[in-house]
């Protein structure tokens, strides 16, 4: 169709058409369109329409076809409806133009969203599937046309363009893998242009409200419908293939794809982008000064090389898996053949019977294995090999084996690099590793042909590889041998026949194997994907099942008893289901539907069971770092010697009490040790009551002090929340001195005094009843990472003491240098509490709590009733606590907290996103309060939850808190580096930019 200029009617004319011809009144505004003229119409009753005035060149038959298709698809609920004019017609003529009115779909174009989530992509797939189902059997003469956007006509267009290498590669792929399948593909009328500006995302952006603009409809291969949507879905995504998989799997759930369609799908999707690039190149040649042409092609140019690097069969296997089909169709056949014929296989290690029970020790190198160190330097080949050999000796075996389907962190980058939004790394090991001496000869398990081996001109960084091809069984397949000796390959020839059991190469040294410990990597491969030797030995966790189909368990050939005995580890879903059955359900799990399965910690990092690394910005218990070796050693050493209770004299108890009190003001000199923060707060209350003989307690709003019945009573965060029963009469709540959101603001020079006055008033209100005391966190955490204003605490302590009460500082969250400026948070306020409560970080995760008070208070507590806590201050707890304190002091973690905290707070303030209402904190105790409006301070709770979820996806674990759940809480182990801060800031800014 040759196009004339798009129509240029005025808003008044559009309004008149609506009023006179459709009997509709409303506000009219112009919508962008290249070919036609479209007006958005908002009628009074909240209904919306689009008035479409077609290009003069438009033929009526095509519009009739569109209308008929829309009518046909109406029941699928995925497209707008055509509104009849007053005269009953669905197409009217106005000054030589054909005019239609359709309903306006709620939402906005998917292409205008800042981010297209996986949920949205899946909904797009489902919507298109429903559309395909609705259009099945539909036909109209106008859509049988020769159209350059018909994918069936793509090949000559792309060939003529002779574009850059990726386009050539994708064209070649199309010719090799898709073209011959065309006769097998179903045909029907399709929409033919589900690009993301023709897809309307519903409010919230997580679902599709419909697909518009049927002007490109054509009768062609049905699968092109989803292929086109996939092509555009890939654009601008961190993982384009994953986006395509998302759409394809969801499409299949509504409109099942057939084998041939699945096989052709990837190449067809890529061809759509090639056609776009080809046509744009042509237009650009004709209109070299039009900058828009180049800009609109940028996302396509960016994605083409990435798509060209993916083998269409791999894409097909991924699509199949997403569709719930066997990813590699012939893999199960091969697997059962191997199982059935095992007895006839030869050992692949010369002179070793691997099937003999005692010969082989299982070596677990998964992320959760103690054989692997969290300290990646200790996984260097030499120390790792030494540990593996020691383990084999200890087990009395000859060699070690393991590794199939194992998530490994051995390949992780040493530093956190969370500034890339897509962080998945290949961690799932696909072979079995056999730990063997260099020089050990390896053999073919059955007759074989040498398919490929490392070309000496292109050495692989992990050492020489040989691939053998096997013709036996239901299908051709391969075995891959890695980490060989280069010299041993000197006489090998491509195509060489090997007999069953024939040795053909030897194990290499670490030096020629990229430094890895001497071992054989043995892998079965069902599809080499046109790779000679450099085949993936590890897979991305998200592609795990597909790669397991491509590379079945090597133990089908090896038959190592120790490996057959290994029970499969449950995955996240199974664990979550089991937890739901066995564990009380009000112990919630973070990240709801998609929880993190924690498998390892190291310093400021956590790893999940897939080996994915996260920066820990949430946990303050591992104060000196997850699994800090000095704490681990202290605890382990003590557990091996003595771990008993405090009824016996133990040097460790008094040593630690001495060390701990030396960090506190001299008045605070008597310690009690317990096993948790809750136990410590309980004890603090008992002590205060003994001393004062009173019960009434002042608490701070939104406080949390622990999970026991009494502590729920003094924790408004709990007793005022869901399931709570309010405060008993002896608990008196005082306002949170929140200088951002509270009654008095930071700008008020007397803000601390103002809030302290409210405590004084609360004391006045309970006059007549004796006061036991006042308890508060020195920096309220669940209240939203609040910093108390200057002067507040000292005035409050004055009021409380005047009324005869004791001042209890809950330093469970804030002690031990976290605040950066001071070792204890109360020191920043120039006060000395009467009782200090410690917990969480005190022993870096070993259960421990402490109460420290003045001697006369401790004496009053000794009223005849014994105090004893079985686990409190047990020997191993003291060892862990003492090591934690030593590390904190010797590694200068308070100073690190200060420097890192300053960088973090400054970086957060510099982001300057409108949602950021307040950035506050001290050291590594920080909060970012998100608000929708800086004047009303409307809490942005959904946004905060979004940030937490997306930051996790970007590799950072953090929490949300505050009474309105709108404060991002940052408080990780005190081991962060500047790189960690910068990575967090980049991820945080990128996440906010999506909102
Ligand atoms: N006090 C505060 C301030 C806390 O944050 C917590 C725990 N979140 C506790 C006391 C109770 O500690 P635990 O969970 O060890 O009993």
């Amino acid at each position: 169709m040759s196009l004339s200029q798009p129509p240029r009617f005025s808003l008044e004319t559009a309004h008149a058409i609506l009023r006179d011809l459709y009997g509709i009144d409303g506000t009219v505004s112009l919508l962008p369109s290249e070919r036609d003229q479209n007006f958005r119409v908002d009628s009074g009753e909240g209904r919306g329409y689009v008035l479409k005035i077609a290009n003069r060149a438009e033929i009526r038959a095509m519009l009739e076809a569109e209308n008929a298709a829309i009518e046909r698809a109406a029941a699928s609920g995925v497209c707008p409806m055509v509104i009849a004019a007053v005269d009953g017609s669905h197409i009217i003529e106005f000054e030589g133009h054909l005019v239609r009115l359709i309903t306006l779909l709620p939402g906005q174009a998917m292409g205008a969203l800042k981010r297209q989530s996986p949920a949205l992509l899946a909904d797009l797939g489902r919507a298109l599937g429903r559309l395909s189902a609705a259009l099945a059997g539909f036909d109209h003469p106008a859509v049988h046309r020769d159209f350059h956007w018909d994918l069936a006509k793509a090949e000559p267009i792309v060939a003529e363009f002779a574009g850059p290498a990726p386009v050539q590669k994708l064209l070649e792929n199309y010719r090799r893998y898709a073209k011959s399948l065309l006769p097998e593909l179903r045909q029907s009328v399709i929409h033919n242009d589900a690009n993301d500006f023709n897809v309307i995302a519903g409010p919230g952006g997580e679902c599709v409200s419909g697909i518009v603009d049927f002007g490109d409809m054509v009768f062609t291969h049905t699968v092109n419908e989803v292929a086109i949507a996939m092509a555009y879905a890939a654009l601008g995504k961190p993982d384009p293939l994953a986006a395509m998989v998302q759409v394809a799997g969801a499409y299949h759930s509504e409109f099942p794809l057939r084998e041939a369609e699945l096989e052709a799908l990837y190449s067809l999707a890529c061809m759509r982008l090639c056609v776009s690039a080809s046509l744009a190149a042509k237009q650009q040649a004709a209109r070299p000064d039009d900058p828009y042409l180049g800009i609109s092609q940028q996302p396509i140019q960016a994605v083409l090389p990435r798509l060209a690097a993916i083998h269409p069969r791999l894409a097909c296997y991924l699509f199949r898996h997403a569709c719930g089909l066997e990813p590699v169709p012939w893999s199960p056949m091969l697997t059962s053949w191997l199982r059935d014929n095992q007895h006839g296989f030869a050992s692949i290690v010369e002179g070793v019977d691997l099937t003999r029970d005692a010969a082989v020790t299982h070596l677990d190198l998964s992320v959760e294995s103690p054989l692997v160190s969290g300290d990646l330097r200790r996984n260097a080949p030499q120390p790792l090999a030494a540990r593996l050999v020691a383990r084999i000796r200890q087990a009395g075996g000859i060699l070690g084996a393991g590794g199939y389907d194992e998530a490994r962190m051995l390949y992780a980058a040493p530093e956190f690099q969370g500034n890339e939004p897509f962080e998945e790394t290949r961690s799932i090991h696909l072979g079995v590793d056999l730990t063997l001496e260099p020089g050990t000869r390896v053999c073919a398990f059955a007759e074989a042909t040498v398919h490929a081996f490392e070309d000496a001109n292109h050495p692989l960084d992990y050492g020489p590889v040989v691939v053998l091809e096997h013709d036996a069984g239901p299908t051709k397949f391969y075995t891959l041998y890695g980490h060989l000796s280069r010299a041993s390959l000197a006489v090998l020839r491509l195509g060489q026949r090997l007999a069953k059991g024939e040795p053909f190469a030897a194990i290499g040294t670490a030096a020629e194997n990229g430094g890895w410990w001497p071992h054989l990597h043995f892998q079965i491969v069902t599809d080499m994907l046109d790779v000679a030797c450099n085949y993936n030995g590890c897979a991305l966790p998200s592609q795990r099942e597909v790669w397991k189909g491509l590379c079945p368990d090597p133990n089908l050939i090896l038959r190592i008893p120790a490996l057959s005995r290994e029970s499969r580890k449950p995955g996240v879903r199974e664990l979550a289901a089991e937890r739901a059955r066995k564990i009380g359900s009000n112990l919630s799990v973070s990240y709801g539907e998609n929880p993190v399965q924690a498998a390892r910690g190291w310093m400021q990092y956590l790893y999940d069971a897939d080996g994915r690394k996260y920066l820990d910005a949430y946990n303050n218990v591992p104060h000196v770092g997850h699994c800090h070796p000095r704490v681990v050693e202290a605890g382990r050493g003590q557990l091996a010697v003595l771990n008993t209770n405090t009824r016996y004299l133990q040097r460790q108890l008094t040593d630690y009490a001495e060390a701990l009190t030396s960090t506190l003001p001299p008045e605070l000199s008597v310690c009690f040790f317990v096993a948790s923060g809750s136990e410590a707060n309980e004890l603090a209350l008992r002590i205060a009551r003994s001393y004062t003989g009173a019960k009434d307690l002042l608490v701070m709003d939104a406080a949390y002090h622990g999970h026991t019945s009494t502590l729920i009573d003094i924790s408004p965060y709990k007793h005022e929340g869901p399931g709570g029963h309010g405060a008993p009469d002896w608990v008196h709540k005082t306002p949170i001195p929140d200088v951002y959101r509270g009654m008095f603001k930071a700008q008020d020079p007397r803000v601390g005094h103002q809030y302290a006055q409210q405590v004084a008033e609360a004391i006045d209100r309970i006059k007549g009843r004796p006061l036991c005391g006042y308890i508060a966190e020195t920096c309220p955490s669940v209240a939203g990472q609040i910093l108390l204003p200057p002067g507040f605490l000292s005035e409050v302590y004055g009021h409380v003491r005047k009324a005869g009460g004791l001042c209890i500082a809950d330093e469970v969250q804030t002690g031990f240098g976290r605040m950066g400026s001071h070792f204890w948070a109360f020191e920043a306020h120039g006060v000395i509490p009467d009782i200090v409560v410690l917990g969480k970080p005190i022993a870096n995760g070993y259960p421990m709590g402490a109460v420290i008070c003045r001697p006369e208070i401790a004496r009053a507590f000794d009223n005849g009733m014994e105090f004893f806590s079985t686990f409190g201050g047990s020997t191993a707890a003291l060892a862990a606590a003492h090591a934690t304190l030593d590390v904190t002091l010797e590694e200068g973690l308070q100073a690190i907290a200060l420097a890192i905290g300053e960088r973090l707070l400054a970086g957060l303030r510099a982001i300057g996103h409108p949602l950021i209402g307040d950035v506050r904190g001290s050291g590594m105790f920080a909060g970012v309060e998100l608000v929708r409006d800086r004047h009303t301070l409307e809490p942005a709770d959904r946004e905060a939850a979004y940030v937490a979820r997306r930051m996790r996806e970007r590799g950072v674990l953090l929490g949300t808190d505050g009474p309105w759940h709108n404060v991002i809480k940052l408080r990780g182990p005190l081991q962060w580096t500047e790189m960690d801060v910068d990575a967090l800031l980049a991820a945080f800014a990128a996440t906010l930019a999506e909102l």
Side-chain angles (χ1 to χ4, degrees):
M1 176 201 333
S2 74
L3 291 188
S4 49
Q5 287 293 319
R8 294 218 178 99
F9 291 102
S10 65
L11 293 176
E12 289 71 33
T13 309
H15 195 256
I17 295 174
L18 277 165
R19 191 191 49 221
D20 301 343
L21 302 176
Y22 288 94
I24 288 175
D25 204 11
T27 10
V28 179
S29 55
L30 198 59
L31 290 170
S33 171
E34 270 178 57
R35 182 170 61 179
D36 308 319
Q37 197 180 21
N38 294 335
F39 295 94
R40 181 189 164 125
V41 184
D42 293 290
S43 80
E45 321 90 72
R47 302 179 70 165
Y49 304 92
V50 178
L51 181 70
K52 296 174 74 69
I53 305 181
N55 193 289
R56 251 181 215 286
E58 191 62 81
I59 51 171
R60 177 180 278 270
M62 190 60 211
L63 296 190
E64 282 169 356
E66 282 186 44
N67 283 0
I70 287 175
E71 195 182 321
R72 175 79 175 239
S76 69
V78 297
C79 52
M81 289 190 306
V82 184
I83 304 293
V86 213
D87 69 0
S89 56
H90 288 94
I91 302 173
I92 55 175
E93 228 176 301
F94 182 80
E95 295 183 8
H97 291 268
L98 301 174
V99 176
R100 288 177 301 156
L101 185 69
I102 60 169
T103 51
L104 178 77
L105 296 174
Q108 58 175 321
M110 185 174 149
L113 296 178
K114 289 186 179 142
R115 174 171 180 263
Q116 298 172 356
S117 70
L120 176 65
L121 294 177
D123 207 45
L124 168 60
R126 283 189 293 270
L128 280 176
R130 288 202 296 278
L131 183 60
S132 291
L135 290 182
F138 170 76
D139 210 350
H140 193 284
V143 298
H144 290 262
R145 52 179 178 154
D146 190 15
F147 186 31
H148 54 262
W149 284 114
D150 178 359
L151 260 179
K153 311 276 163 56
E155 189 189 352
I157 296 173
V158 178
E160 187 198 323
F161 165 46
V167 173
Q168 294 304 323
K169 172 77 183 156
L170 292 168
L171 175 62
E172 185 194 319
N173 281 350
Y174 170 80
R175 287 174 168 156
R176 278 178 73 173
Y177 303 110
K179 197 175 167 182
S180 67
L181 297 166
L182 298 185
E184 296 175 53
L185 309 181
R186 285 174 287 181
Q187 290 190 302
S188 63
V189 178
I190 68 167
H191 172 281
N192 197 39
D193 193 16
N195 81 65
D196 50 6
F197 282 93
N198 284 341
V199 177
I200 308 301
E206 296 278 294
C207 63
V208 166
S209 68
I211 295 154
V212 297
D213 195 353
F214 283 63
D216 279 358
M217 275 197 327
V218 71
F219 182 86
T220 185
H221 301 120
T222 311
V223 67
N224 294 347
E225 189 81 291
V226 65
I228 291 164
M230 286 159 63
Y232 293 102
L235 301 183
K237 301 296 187 302
D239 184 348
L241 181 56
M244 287 182 158
V245 169
Q246 203 70 253
V247 178
Y251 179 85
H252 181 86
S253 70
E254 295 285 345
F255 188 78
L257 289 158
R258 297 187 180 164
E259 299 279 331
E261 290 167 339
L262 282 159
E263 244 180 273
L265 188 50
Y266 184 69
S267 289
L268 289 169
C270 293
M271 278 300 265
R272 171 65 173 218
L273 297 176
C274 293
V275 169
S276 177
S278 306
L279 295 177
K282 221 171 176 175
Q283 284 179 315
Q284 241 167 339
R287 307 200 318 253
D289 314 321
D290 186 344
Y292 176 75
L293 290 173
I295 295 169
S296 65
Q297 279 293 307
Q298 272 168 7
I300 294 182
Q301 297 304 332
V303 85
L304 285 174
R306 298 184 63 188
L307 298 181
I310 295 165
H311 197 289
R313 281 207 301 276
L314 175 62
C316 173
Y317 301 144
L318 289 161
F319 298 153
R320 294 180 60 92
H321 180 60
C323 294
L325 304 171
E326 186 64 45
V328 184
W330 59 89
S331 192
M333 255 181 334
L334 174 64
T335 305
S336 37
W337 182 85
L338 289 170
R339 199 169 283 128
D340 293 345
N341 292 278
Q342 286 175 336
H343 50 275
F345 297 166
S347 172
I348 66 160
V349 182
E350 192 182 36
V352 180
D353 179 2
L354 295 171
T355 66
R356 205 161 52 79
D357 212 353
V360 190
T361 306
H362 173 234
L363 294 180
D364 179 359
L365 296 185
S366 73
V367 57
E368 51 203 295
S369 166
L371 276 174
V372 176
S373 174
D375 181 355
L376 296 183
R377 289 163 308 187
R378 297 201 62 239
N379 296 327
Q382 284 203 339
L384 181 61
R387 291 201 296 278
L388 300 187
V389 169
R391 179 65 212 278
I392 296 167
R393 294 238 170 86
Q394 184 194 20
I398 306 170
L399 59 97
Y404 180 66
D405 193 24
E406 190 168 273
R408 293 182 171 179
M409 55 180 291
L410 293 172
Y411 319 110
E415 297 299 335
F416 180 71
Q417 286 152 358
N419 44 359
E420 279 303 313
F422 182 65
E423 274 300 304
E424 215 187 11
T425 52
R426 288 195 277 122
S427 61
I428 310 300
H429 196 250
L430 298 169
V432 160
D433 286 333
L434 294 170
T435 300
L436 297 163
E437 291 292 321
T440 311
R441 300 216 295 170
V442 295
C443 317
F445 85 93
E447 260 188 48
T449 311
V450 177
H451 171 75
F453 57 92
E454 185 209 31
D455 172 355
N457 295 321
H458 303 99
L460 303 171
D461 57 9
Y462 50 86
V465 167
V466 173
V467 181
L468 303 184
E469 185 182 312
H470 305 276
D471 271 322
T475 160
K476 190 163 86 173
F477 66 99
Y478 308 85
T479 51
L480 183 147
Y481 294 69
H483 304 305
L484 301 174
S485 134
R486 197 155 280 135
S488 77
L489 305 188
V491 294
L492 215 58
R493 284 177 296 103
L494 286 184
Q496 181 181 333
R497 297 288 300 165
L498 297 174
K500 180 172 111 179
E502 183 175 338
F504 62 91
I507 301 297
T509 60
E512 59 185 332
N513 278 299
W516 291 105
W517 82 102
H519 70 277
L520 173 69
H521 172 104
F522 179 71
Q523 187 172 339
I524 304 178
V525 181
T526 57
D527 183 346
M528 288 298 294
L529 300 170
D530 297 333
V531 170
C533 301
N534 193 13
Y535 197 83
N536 283 352
C538 286
L540 294 175
S542 63
Q543 301 180 352
R544 187 177 199 150
E545 293 310 314
V546 170
W547 282 94
K548 280 166 66 182
L550 277 166
C551 303
D553 185 354
N555 209 37
L556 287 164
I557 289 175
L558 303 176
R559 289 165 295 144
I560 296 170
L563 299 191
S564 315
R565 278 195 298 271
E566 273 309 301
S567 54
R568 213 178 50 81
K569 291 174 181 164
V572 170
R573 307 247 159 271
E574 283 164 86
L575 269 186
E578 201 169 328
R579 174 177 165 127
R581 280 194 300 275
K582 300 270 172 60
I583 306 294
S585 56
N586 53 350
L587 174 61
S588 70
V589 55
S590 303
Y591 307 106
E593 291 291 289
N594 189 17
V596 174
Q597 186 185 345
R600 174 176 289 270
W602 178 255
M603 293 299 173
Q604 67 275 45
Y605 305 122
L606 275 175
Y607 293 82
D608 70 13
D610 282 339
R612 168 142 195 214
K613 188 173 190 173
Y614 295 94
L615 175 64
D616 190 352
Y618 183 79
N619 292 292
N620 54 354
V621 173
H623 188 69
V624 301
H626 287 278
C627 306
H628 192 291
R630 278 183 66 187
V631 182
V632 171
E633 251 338 286
R636 184 183 2 230
Q638 190 57 57
L639 280 169
V641 175
L642 174 73
N643 186 31
T644 189
N645 67 67
T646 44
R647 295 271 194 217
Y648 305 104
L649 284 185
Q650 290 180 61
R651 193 173 35 75
Q652 293 87 343
L653 177 67
T654 32
D655 279 358
Y656 180 64
E658 175 62 37
L660 181 61
T661 49
S662 73
T663 66
L664 285 157
E667 296 86 332
L668 294 168
S669 61
V670 182
C671 304
F672 298 85
F673 293 110
V674 288
S676 71
S678 296
E679 221 188 310
N681 272 325
E682 278 280 352
L683 179 61
L685 288 191
R686 271 182 68 200
I687 293 175
R689 285 174 184 172
S690 303
Y691 182 80
T692 59
K695 192 172 180 189
D696 281 45
L697 197 72
L698 294 158
V699 301
M700 198 181 272
D701 197 2
Y704 176 68
H705 295 290
H707 66 83
T708 65
S709 301
T710 315
L711 297 181
I712 298 296
D713 281 346
I714 68 163
S715 300
Y717 167 75
K718 288 284 180 195
H719 66 234
E720 288 184 2
H725 297 295
D729 65 351
W730 54 270
V731 172
H732 310 280
K733 190 173 79 172
T734 62
I736 320 171
D738 177 349
V739 301
Y740 176 69
R741 185 177 278 283
M743 190 185 285
F744 308 107
K745 308 283 185 199
Q747 298 81 343
D748 182 341
R750 283 162 43 92
V751 62
H753 166 76
Q754 304 276 33
Y755 281 114
Q757 220 25 58
Q758 294 189 319
V759 179
E761 285 161 20
I763 293 173
D764 280 345
R765 278 197 296 275
I766 54 175
K767 273 254 163 70
R769 294 169 65 131
L771 184 64
C772 173
Y774 172 82
I775 185 167
E777 277 184 88
T778 323
C779 289
S781 184
V782 292
Q785 302 289 89
I786 305 289
L787 293 191
L788 303 182
F792 168 79
L793 208 56
S794 57
E795 273 194 45
V796 167
Y797 277 18
H799 295 311
V800 171
R801 283 174 179 149
K802 220 169 88 198
L806 289 181
C807 299
I808 306 173
D810 182 338
E811 289 261 348
V812 166
Q813 298 254 4
T814 47
F816 295 99
R818 172 163 299 278
M819 310 308 291
S821 59
H822 299 81
F823 199 77
W824 302 107
F826 64 76
E827 292 173 306
H829 298 276
V831 297
I832 298 174
D834 301 304
I835 302 177
V836 172
V837 174
L838 305 179
K840 282 183 185 285
I842 189 169
N844 213 45
Y846 200 102
M848 175 94 159
V851 178
I852 301 137
C853 63
R854 296 206 313 268
E856 68 274 22
I857 297 174
R859 272 196 299 278
F861 181 51
D862 184 9
N863 59 1
M865 185 189 286
E866 273 247 22
F867 162 74
F868 178 64
S869 163
T870 304
F871 295 124
S874 64
T875 338
L878 291 165
H882 209 141
T884 303
L885 183 57
D886 286 348
V887 172
T888 306
L889 299 172
E890 288 165 31
E891 292 190 11
L893 297 186
Q894 183 186 331
I896 289 179
L898 184 65
I900 288 295
E902 277 174 4
R903 192 181 183 90
L904 178 65
L905 292 170
L908 289 168
R909 289 187 179 114
I911 292 175
H913 190 278
L915 275 171
I916 298 184
D918 190 32
V919 173
R920 54 185 175 248
S922 172
M924 286 195 62
F925 180 93
V928 184
E929 179 149 4
L930 302 186
V931 292
R932 297 198 185 113
D933 181 315
R934 292 206 172 151
H935 298 287
T936 64
L937 307 188
E938 184 191 350
D941 55 345
R942 270 179 284 112
E943 293 84 343
Y946 178 87
V947 168
R949 180 162 59 81
R950 287 291 288 148
M951 287 296 279
R952 174 265 168 98
E953 288 166 6
R954 292 191 148 101
V956 181
L957 302 179
L958 45 73
T960 58
D961 235 323
W964 292 275
H965 313 288
N966 66 323
V967 181
I968 304 291
K969 182 161 76 173
L970 299 164
R971 38 146 226 214
L974 307 190
Q975 291 285 1
W976 282 29
T977 64
E978 291 185 354
M979 265 180 70
D980 295 323
V981 176
D982 296 348
L984 177 137
L985 291 171
F988 199 73
T991 300
L992 286 174
E994 292 170 358
L995 284 162

